[in-house]
Amino acid sequence: MEVQALTKYVRCSPKKMREVTRVIQGRPAIEALDLLRFIPRKTARLVRKTLASAVANAENNHRLSSSNLVVKCAFAEQGSVIKRMRPASRGSGHPIHKHTTHIRIILSDNAKPAAAAAE
């Protein structure tokens, strides 16, 4: 069974977020939470909150044990871009792009399907 959590419109660039999400893919959820606690970046704190939400969704909505959960996928998708102008010389303006990110974390349980277990 797969469970997911989604955090939208996070004010951080997707490139910076992907550096952190690559670290936790394929790891057990509890280990990933501990690992994110010691990464000294703002993005790690935001990914950790989303991962904790996914674990809570699995426990409360689907009655899964948190010890069996594995991070199947962790995405940092491009969100909308907030566009601003900065005053520049001679009355002109230079564009400022403030990027946002959507964080999607998908967890799966370690239990194998019944057909695979029978073989």
Side-chain angles (χ1 to χ4, degrees), residues 4-65:
Q4 75 174 358
L6 178 66
T7 304
K8 297 178 86 173
Y9 303 107
V10 175
R11 268 287 293 122
C12 189
S13 72
K15 184 178 179 180
K16 292 177 184 177
M17 194 71 69
R18 282 186 202 112
E19 292 176 359
V20 174
T21 56
R22 272 191 228 115
V23 172
I24 65 169
Q25 286 186 359
R27 295 184 183 265
I30 303 300
E31 180 185 328
L33 283 169
D34 291 338
L35 184 65
L36 288 170
R37 181 176 289 146
F38 296 107
I39 297 176
R41 301 185 76 161
K42 173 187 172 183
T43 55
R45 189 181 75 236
L46 297 168
V47 170
R48 187 172 191 279
K49 287 176 77 171
T50 307
L51 180 57
S53 175
V55 170
N57 289 343
E59 290 176 341
N60 296 325
N61 299 342
H62 301 286
R63 306 278 187 247
L64 298 174
S65 173

Side-chain angles (χ1 to χ4, degrees), residues 38-103:
F38 296 107
I39 297 176
R41 301 185 76 161
K42 173 187 172 183
T43 55
R45 189 181 75 236
L46 297 168
V47 170
R48 187 172 191 279
K49 287 176 77 171
T50 307
L51 180 57
S53 175
V55 170
N57 289 343
E59 290 176 341
N60 296 325
N61 299 342
H62 301 286
R63 306 278 187 247
L64 298 174
S65 173
S66 61
S67 60
N68 295 334
L69 296 174
V70 175
V71 179
K72 181 179 179 186
C73 300
F75 298 112
E77 302 162 346
Q78 174 84 35
S80 58
V81 177
I82 303 168
K83 296 178 181 173
R84 299 286 182 258
M85 294 299 283
R86 179 177 206 95
S89 63
R90 297 184 172 187
S92 64
H94 290 171
I96 302 291
H97 299 289
K98 299 183 177 188
H99 296 277
T100 61
T101 307
H102 304 318
I103 307 167

